[in-house]
Amino acid sequence: MIRKFKFFFSPIDGLTKWLNKMSDKGYRLIKVDNTFFYFKECERGKYRYAVDYVANRSYESLNDYERFLKDSNIRYIEKPGSVGKVSFGNIRWRPYADKGGRLATSRGMIKKEFLILEKENDGPFEIYTSIKDKINALEIMRKPTISMLIFIGVMMIVVNFGSQSGSSFLNAETNKLISLIVLGIAEILLVINLLRFSLKIRKLKRDSNINE
């Protein structure tokens, strides 16, 4: 078994492409944790992978989906991803999720934000085949980015206008500047991600009108 560390700014497209490349090299994904992916050797190109975002689902909806995958002979691996959430101990609030999935607990959705799907390589592996379904999936995946943009924007306002008691003026200003720089970088990355989703959605909608 081999262990790989990998970070993806695009956890859907980037991870999907990388897993399929690993399969083409002769490695099958066995398990994942917060930071590492674990593989074992297999026949080159034997498996195809896709990644689905499921943090918007309720506990019951996720169970139904996983049962459907099993019935379809699709293996799945739950992957954690801390996206667009606010934590209160073992409870996470996801304002963008569907009804029943906005409060995630350890029993339900925590550390199950993505599903890595695997099937034997008998052709292209697409989760969403119609343009309508693809647009809907992208709009769902875009919601956490919007939530985080708003949250970090509020944090920047708080940091900029808040006061830091117990610190000298120079230290307070330095800490404020560092915090604003870090939050600003995060905000820029989120804007880039939002634009990426929006451009994909616009292209699909334009293609849909052409097809009609």
Side-chain angles (χ1 to χ4, degrees), residues 39-135:
F39 297 86
K40 71 175 183 181
E41 292 187 5
C42 69
E43 178 185 334
R44 289 177 180 266
K46 184 175 182 180
Y47 300 99
R48 292 292 91 183
Y49 292 93
V51 180
D52 200 6
Y53 171 78
V54 294
N56 64 301
R57 292 178 178 265
S58 66
Y59 178 71
E60 291 75 15
S61 174
L62 178 63
N63 282 343
D64 289 342
Y65 184 40
E66 290 180 342
R67 280 194 291 269
F68 166 76
L69 293 172
K70 288 180 180 177
D71 293 341
S72 303
N73 294 319
I74 296 175
R75 176 175 170 254
Y76 64 85
I77 299 175
E78 294 166 345
K79 180 186 180 304
S82 297
V83 288
K85 51 81 178 175
V86 179
S87 297
F88 306 94
N90 287 328
I91 299 175
R92 296 182 182 182
W93 178 51
R94 295 174 178 147
Y96 53 84
D98 298 337
K99 185 178 180 180
R102 290 169 189 162
L103 286 179
T105 66
S106 57
R107 173 179 174 270
M109 290 300 302
I110 291 179
K111 296 189 176 181
K112 300 178 182 179
E113 287 80 12
F114 297 94
L115 288 184
I116 297 173
L117 312 183
E118 176 198 88
K119 74 176 185 68
E120 291 202 10
N121 189 3
D122 54 3
F125 188 13
E126 286 190 88
I127 305 172
Y128 305 103
T129 53
S130 73
I131 291 180
K132 183 178 179 181
D133 288 342
K134 289 178 180 179
I135 291 172

Side-chain angles (χ1 to χ4, degrees), residues 137-191:
L138 287 169
E139 288 176 341
I140 289 172
M141 288 186 280
R142 185 174 60 178
K143 289 179 180 179
T145 301
I146 296 172
S147 296
M148 287 302 295
L149 270 170
I150 295 171
F151 177 74
I152 292 179
V154 171
M155 288 294 295
M156 291 180 73
I157 293 172
V158 171
V159 169
N160 190 41
F161 293 101
S163 60
Q164 298 187 21
S165 59
S167 300
S168 68
F169 176 78
L170 183 59
N171 287 338
E173 289 300 309
T174 301
N175 291 337
K176 179 187 291 188
L177 179 60
I178 293 172
S179 298
L180 287 173
I181 290 172
V182 172
L183 291 170
I185 291 172
E187 195 83 337
I188 290 170
L189 292 175
L190 286 167
V191 168

